[in-house]
Amino acid sequence: MNEIQHSTISVLAPSIPNRNALILPGGGLRVAYQAGAVQALYDAGLRFSYLGASSSGTLNLAALLSGVWPSELCRRWRELPVRPLAAAFGLPWREDGADFDKIERALFAPLGIDIAHLRQAQGVEARFMIGDAQAKSVFPMPPEAMTRELLLGAASLPFLTPPLSQNGWLWTDAAWLRECDLQAAVRSGANRLWVVWSHGGALRLDTGLLDHYMQMIEMSMIARLKAELDAIAEINTRIAAGEAPFGYCEPIEVTLITPEQPLPRDPDFLSGRIDAAALIAYGYRDARRVFMRGAPSPLDDRATTLREPSEGLRFREVMRGRICFGETDPERGYASEAAMPVSLHGVIDIGDTAAFVADPAHEGELSGHLEAHRLGGWLPATSGRFGLFTPSGEAGLYHMLYGMNILIEGRSYYFDGRKQVRIAAPWQLWRATTTLYVQLREGNANGAVVAAGQLHLGAKELFDLLSTLQAVGCRSRLARWRSLWRFLRVFSSELIRIYVLRRG
């Protein structure tokens, strides 16, 4: 649903009050990740009687309480202009820091935030966690008390923005104090807590000034989160012993939705090395993975420790074309008058370029969305697979694979896309490497074909792809060049083998 709800009943409110809580801590502009995660939980049927947020997570909470549906929030993040954001926060660095009026213009209206509307929100108990700069504590502000100044203050991260004054009182980001207040949700009666955590938890420290500053914030936030998890574990121990602390007779469950590896930080977002669409895709994928796991997070260090990244690679790719339902042949489907426009917005992650090169299938992970407005708009992938010159089983034929599990109106489908690269004359290279033959299958990769067509990578999209090619998980400039060189070497050498040397 791509509209703003005009009713004051929260879009996440259950029809009957429950004991579910949704917690949205901060994470800078990485909280676009939260939008994807919230949509995945909403699509899975979860509703919440308690909502809490802090730092930049308050922006998402404010939008949701303003009547913005989860899918609409994702759309707004995808379309959010980046340049006004950088200027609003005083970047490149300015001595006078951020401009709150510009921050409001850059974020409030584009995200659908309406202070008057959110102050009337009903159907949920909600709290905005804001730092009280004078009392050195966190104040849980209810929606009816929120103002423009309080919301801006809640996201005014020290170093980039000063505290914001209202009626002579200073309000600031709660990041250094208590980023994730699970106890407030417990006190409200919730016993199933869902936390969308977009902060890093890497084992190694970065050396750049801004990266080091962000990592210090993350360390502080994770330490506070661990203390919250310890407190809930202690409550559960008492419940197991027959006590009823705070009236609880059943254990409290905490489910953390986190990426498996640290997300890119704000400088990557503001410079275009990552975009909101990619972060949303990651959020949806991770939330769906955690939901399907069907078990809460352990209340110990395992909940917050992410996998240390190897020297890898990331790039984004957009292909556009048409598919037709009722056709099984991609060429006929693309040519059919009944075909509908479809675009693939993909994020390819190669976690370890050395392992990728050594693997004969050259496989990585594909996240992203299908843009198909006749099918409901942006259809997020729950999981995906990428392959580069993967052997097809037929002599002389190799595939570039783009496979994604997607949901259409609640039903599972598999997007099966293949670029067919076969031994041929060099002038056939462009068409082979830019034409994706698509079959949409019911259920999974082995399901019946219900639609077929073609997508194409245009010259502009190719240049856009190259501009997003980025080494990740690298600790030095040499390591970055090494990761890029490994990928480009295998790509170019395979093309030379197939189209110049014509060897299988």
Side-chain angles (χ1 to χ4, degrees), residues 462-481:
L462 175 60
F463 283 111
D464 289 342
L465 181 159
L466 294 174
S467 71
T468 67
L469 196 62
Q470 179 187 7
V472 297
C474 301
R475 306 297 296 176
S476 66
R477 182 174 298 179
L478 175 62
R480 288 193 291 273
W481 281 110

Side-chain angles (χ1 to χ4, degrees), residues 131-136 139 150 163-172:
D132 183 334
Q134 280 130 307
K136 310 298 185 291
F139 192 92
L150 289 175
L164 199 141
S165 176
Q166 177 177 273
N167 299 327
W169 211 254
L170 294 177
W171 301 99
T172 188

Side-chain angles (χ1 to χ4, degrees), residues 188-384:
S188 77
N191 68 351
R192 291 179 297 275
L193 281 57
W194 293 79
V195 183
V196 186
W197 187 260
S198 55
H199 289 294
L203 299 176
R204 297 180 298 189
L205 288 178
D206 292 326
T207 54
L209 176 61
L210 186 56
D211 282 333
H212 192 63
Y213 168 74
M214 297 300 295
Q215 219 157 17
M216 292 301 100
I217 294 177
E218 291 170 354
M219 288 175 61
S220 173
M221 294 171 177
I222 291 172
R224 288 297 311 174
L225 175 60
K226 288 181 177 181
E228 297 276 335
L229 295 177
D230 288 343
I232 290 176
E234 192 271 335
I235 292 173
N236 288 345
T237 299
R238 292 171 60 189
I239 292 172
E243 298 182 39
F246 308 107
Y248 282 91
C249 298
E250 298 177 354
I252 299 167
E253 297 179 353
V254 179
T255 302
L256 262 72
I257 297 169
T258 63
E260 293 185 340
Q261 296 185 16
L263 294 173
R265 296 194 177 101
D266 284 4
D268 295 310
F269 184 94
L270 293 171
S271 66
R273 290 192 292 270
I274 194 74
D275 65 359
L279 293 170
I280 290 165
Y282 290 154
Y284 195 98
R285 173 201 66 189
D286 293 339
R288 183 74 182 180
R289 168 178 52 82
V290 170
F291 179 82
M292 296 304 293
R293 184 182 67 198
S297 302
L299 301 177
D300 55 34
D301 288 352
R302 291 173 294 170
T304 58
T305 302
L306 306 186
R307 187 173 77 244
E308 194 66 26
S310 301
E311 292 180 8
L313 196 76
R314 177 192 305 117
F315 62 92
R316 304 196 301 274
E317 186 170 1
V318 177
M319 289 179 278
R320 308 179 193 280
R322 304 192 306 166
I323 66 170
C324 179
F325 277 81
E327 287 286 357
T328 59
D329 179 74
E331 291 187 347
R332 289 200 306 268
Y334 180 74
S336 172
E337 293 183 357
M340 65 177 66
V342 172
S343 299
L344 168 65
H345 300 259
V347 188
I348 291 87
D349 286 282
I350 297 168
D352 186 328
T353 49
F356 176 84
V357 169
D359 177 11
H362 305 312
E363 290 199 5
E365 185 174 14
L366 174 64
S367 305
H369 302 77
L370 283 187
E371 184 183 3
H373 294 286
R374 293 190 197 174
L375 299 177
W378 288 66
L379 310 173
T382 58
S383 61

Side-chain angles (χ1 to χ4, degrees), residues 315-321 330-331 344-346 348 361-362 366 385-394 396-403 414-423 428-439 453-459 461-463 465-466 487 491 494-495 498-499:
F315 62 92
R316 304 196 301 274
E317 186 170 1
V318 177
M319 289 179 278
R320 308 179 193 280
E331 291 187 347
L344 168 65
H345 300 259
I348 291 87
H362 305 312
L366 174 64
R385 170 195 180 202
F386 168 77
L388 183 69
F389 302 113
T390 302
S392 69
E394 177 185 331
L397 176 63
Y398 303 86
H399 287 147
M400 296 186 187
L401 302 175
Y402 296 77
Y414 185 77
F415 176 90
D416 188 353
R418 300 165 187 255
K419 295 178 182 177
Q420 298 183 359
V421 182
R422 61 177 72 247
I423 295 175
Q428 296 183 17
L429 181 153
W430 173 258
R431 186 173 191 275
T433 56
T434 60
T435 302
L436 187 71
Y437 296 91
V438 173
Q439 292 179 316
Q454 294 178 13
L455 305 184
H456 297 96
L457 179 71
E461 285 76 21
L462 175 60
F463 283 111
L465 181 159
L466 294 174
F487 176 80
F491 185 81
E494 288 292 286
L495 289 178
I498 294 170
Y499 287 102

Side-chain angles (χ1 to χ4, degrees), residues 44-264:
L46 282 177
R47 302 295 184 269
F48 305 91
S49 283
Y50 179 89
L51 304 173
S54 59
S55 192
S56 53
T58 58
L59 298 170
N60 285 327
L61 178 56
L64 292 166
L65 293 179
S66 297
V68 177
W69 293 86
S71 58
E72 174 72 3
L73 181 59
C74 291
R75 182 190 68 80
R76 287 173 175 272
W77 270 109
R78 282 192 295 265
E79 297 178 359
L80 189 72
V82 172
R83 184 172 295 179
L85 272 176
F89 282 99
L91 300 172
W93 181 256
R94 294 198 321 253
E95 282 191 18
D96 56 348
D99 185 320
F100 284 112
D101 290 333
K102 288 184 178 179
I103 292 175
E104 180 182 7
R105 289 195 296 270
L107 288 170
F108 281 26
L111 292 180
I113 296 172
D114 182 334
I115 299 294
H117 191 122
L118 78 85
R119 285 168 60 94
Q120 302 176 55
Q122 301 178 48
V124 296
E125 180 181 347
R127 291 293 182 270
F128 293 82
M129 302 299 171
I130 310 176
D132 183 334
Q134 280 130 307
K136 310 298 185 291
S137 62
V138 176
F139 192 92
M141 196 72 67
E144 59 269 20
M146 288 299 293
T147 63
R148 164 194 179 272
E149 288 74 21
L150 289 175
L151 185 55
L152 287 169
S156 61
L157 186 63
F159 180 71
L160 291 180
T161 53
L164 199 141
S165 176
Q166 177 177 273
N167 299 327
W169 211 254
L170 294 177
W171 301 99
T172 188
D173 195 308
W176 293 103
L177 299 170
R178 192 171 196 163
E179 173 76 351
C180 190
D181 193 349
L182 304 186
Q183 296 300 306
V186 171
R187 290 191 298 270
S188 77
N191 68 351
R192 291 179 297 275
L193 281 57
W194 293 79
V195 183
V196 186
W197 187 260
S198 55
H199 289 294
L203 299 176
R204 297 180 298 189
L205 288 178
D206 292 326
T207 54
L209 176 61
L210 186 56
D211 282 333
H212 192 63
Y213 168 74
M214 297 300 295
Q215 219 157 17
M216 292 301 100
I217 294 177
E218 291 170 354
M219 288 175 61
S220 173
M221 294 171 177
I222 291 172
R224 288 297 311 174
L225 175 60
K226 288 181 177 181
E228 297 276 335
L229 295 177
D230 288 343
I232 290 176
E234 192 271 335
I235 292 173
N236 288 345
T237 299
R238 292 171 60 189
I239 292 172
E243 298 182 39
F246 308 107
Y248 282 91
C249 298
E250 298 177 354
I252 299 167
E253 297 179 353
V254 179
T255 302
L256 262 72
I257 297 169
T258 63
E260 293 185 340
Q261 296 185 16
L263 294 173

